[in-house]
């Protein structure tokens, strides 16, 4: 790849030209150099232009840029799973990772991606939706894999999304099956009649989830109503109304709810209205049960996709979005006990 190009240039230009290190991108700062220090031309024997390439076979063959939105337990696990899988698939030392964190700042995602593009990395991992959106805007040539992204059609503005992005983008989704979440609600609360769906109206992925889960719940015979709020200042009043009107609440993987889970719990628990949560973090704060994924396993699945792309075994433009390989029914034991809810034996307590 880049090393081979350097060799070809050296052979073309003849003796007396030595390879130069350097580069401005963040990717260059972590990738392996050619190991060619500047030296007089006579130090390089005639016909030995390949002498600097005596590194172990396959070492540093690929450079992968990782843009992670923020340091967070779930996103960290996805990144680690990705790296572990890629190292296992291609061999330790074959991949040089340029791993950077945007510190929860979308413009910084764009800066990181631009650095990867300038550095001509072989593949980009975009961990979380803003990172994926920055990568989409930054390049239409370098392969991009997203992970920890809920719904790609919504994230990338694709109307009629059919599961395959096309072009240079694919990846994995952290969305648990919404039909199974609806089935979980029915399993735990078969006698309930009304279900309130609480979500932040400024989060497009939240709107998508409540729209979809409502369809499944209504097919199961529930009466559903959506309760949207614009920000955390709005949540208390909306939640109070939802609790008064419904037997059970459902909240999707919503960042604003996640940041205010205790507030929701302080309204729902005293009224003895249980909450089914879209992910484990929200469930820990205010939910009784969730269908949980392993973000590490999600990263592993993404890493296996990357290995196929880098080796030419698969064409990213035809690779459909993949989902977590397995889901676990989990419950919030203290809250279930407080609400006197009996949980089936196939659920796992959060924290165990």
């Amino acid at each position: 790849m880049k090393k081979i190009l350097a060799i070809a240039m050296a052979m073309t230009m003849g003796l007396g030209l030595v390879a130069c290190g350097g580069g401005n991108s963040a990717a260059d700062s972590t990738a392996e150099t050619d190991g060619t220090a500047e030296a007089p031309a006579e130090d390089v024997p005639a016909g030995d232009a390949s002498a600097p390439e005596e590194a172990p076979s396959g070492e540093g063959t690929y450079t992968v840029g990782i843009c992670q939105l923020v340091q967070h337990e779930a996103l960290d696990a996805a990144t680690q799973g990705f790296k572990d899988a890629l190292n296992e698939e291609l061999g330790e030392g074959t991949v040089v990772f340029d791993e950077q964190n945007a510190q929860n700042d979308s413009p910084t995602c764009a800066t990181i991606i631009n650095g990867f593009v300038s550095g001509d990395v072989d593949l980009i991992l975009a961990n979380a939706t803003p990172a994926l959106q920055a990568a989409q805007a930054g390049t239409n040539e370098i392969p991009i894999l997203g992970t920890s992204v809920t719904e790609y059609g919504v994230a990338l503005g694709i109307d009629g999304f059919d599961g395959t992005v096309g072009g240079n983008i694919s990846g994995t989704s952290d969305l648990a099956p919404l039909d199974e979440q609806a089935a979980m609600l029915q399993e735990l609360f078969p006698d309930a009649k009304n279900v309130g769906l609480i979500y932040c109206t400024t989060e497009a992925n939240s709107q998508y989830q409540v729209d979809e889960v409502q369809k499944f719940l209504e097919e199961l015979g529930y009466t559903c109503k959506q309760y949207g709020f614009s920000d955390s200042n709005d949540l208390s009043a909306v939640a109070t109304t939802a609790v008064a009107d419904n037997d059970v609440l459902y909240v999707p993987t919503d960042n604003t709810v996640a940041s205010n889970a205790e507030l929701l719990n302080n309204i729902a628990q005293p009224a003895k209205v249980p909450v089914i949560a879209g992910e484990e973090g929200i469930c820990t704060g205010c939910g009784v049960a969730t269908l949980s994924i392993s973000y590490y396993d999600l990263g592993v699945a993404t890493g296996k996709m990357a290995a196929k792309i880098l080796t030419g075994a698969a064409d990213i433009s035809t690779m459909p979005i993949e989902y977590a390989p397995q889901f676990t029914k989990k419950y919030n034991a203290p809250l279930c006990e407080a609400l006197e809810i009996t949980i089936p034996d196939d659920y796992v307590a959060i924290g165990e």
Side-chain angles (χ1 to χ4, degrees), residues 72-159:
H72 178 280
E73 183 177 349
L75 301 189
D76 290 349
T79 292
Q80 191 61 54
F82 174 82
K83 293 166 63 177
D84 289 349
L86 204 46
N87 281 331
E88 182 175 349
E89 294 289 319
L90 300 182
E92 195 78 32
T94 301
V95 181
V96 176
F97 296 102
D98 184 357
E99 184 176 346
Q100 299 195 39
N101 194 295
Q103 303 301 323
N104 207 25
D105 183 66
S106 295
T108 300
C109 286
T111 301
I112 292 171
I113 295 299
N114 289 338
F116 292 159
V117 174
S118 297
D120 193 25
V121 300
D122 298 298
L123 183 142
I124 294 171
L125 174 71
N127 193 346
T129 297
L132 178 65
Q133 292 168 332
Q136 179 195 37
T139 178
N140 59 6
E141 296 181 357
I142 298 173
I144 299 166
L145 287 175
T147 193
S148 311
V149 176
T150 302
E151 213 287 322
Y152 281 73
V154 173
L156 301 178
I158 303 172
D159 293 331

Side-chain angles (χ1 to χ4, degrees), residues 207-225:
Q207 180 72 68
Y208 166 80
Q209 290 174 78
V210 296
D211 286 346
E212 291 298 306
V213 81
Q214 179 171 345
K215 296 175 186 177
F216 296 119
L217 287 169
E218 288 176 344
E219 289 176 0
L220 295 173
Y222 293 99
T223 298
C224 299
K225 182 177 179 180

Side-chain angles (χ1 to χ4, degrees), residues 195-201 206 210 225-229 235-236 238-243 246 248-254 257 264 267-268 273 275-276 282:
V195 178
L197 312 173
I198 298 182
Y199 70 103
C200 182
T201 55
S206 297
V210 296
K225 182 177 179 180
Q226 295 185 12
Y227 296 82
F229 62 93
L235 176 57
S236 180
V238 170
T240 299
T241 300
V243 165
N246 295 279
V248 183
L249 301 181
Y250 170 85
V251 292
T253 55
D254 184 294
V257 173
L264 180 56
I267 296 170
V273 175
V275 177
I276 296 294
I282 296 176

Side-chain angles (χ1 to χ4, degrees), residues 53 148 200 233 264 269 315 323 341:
E53 305 302 322
S148 311
C200 182
N233 296 324
L264 180 56
Q269 183 177 342
D315 178 0
Y323 294 83
I341 297 172

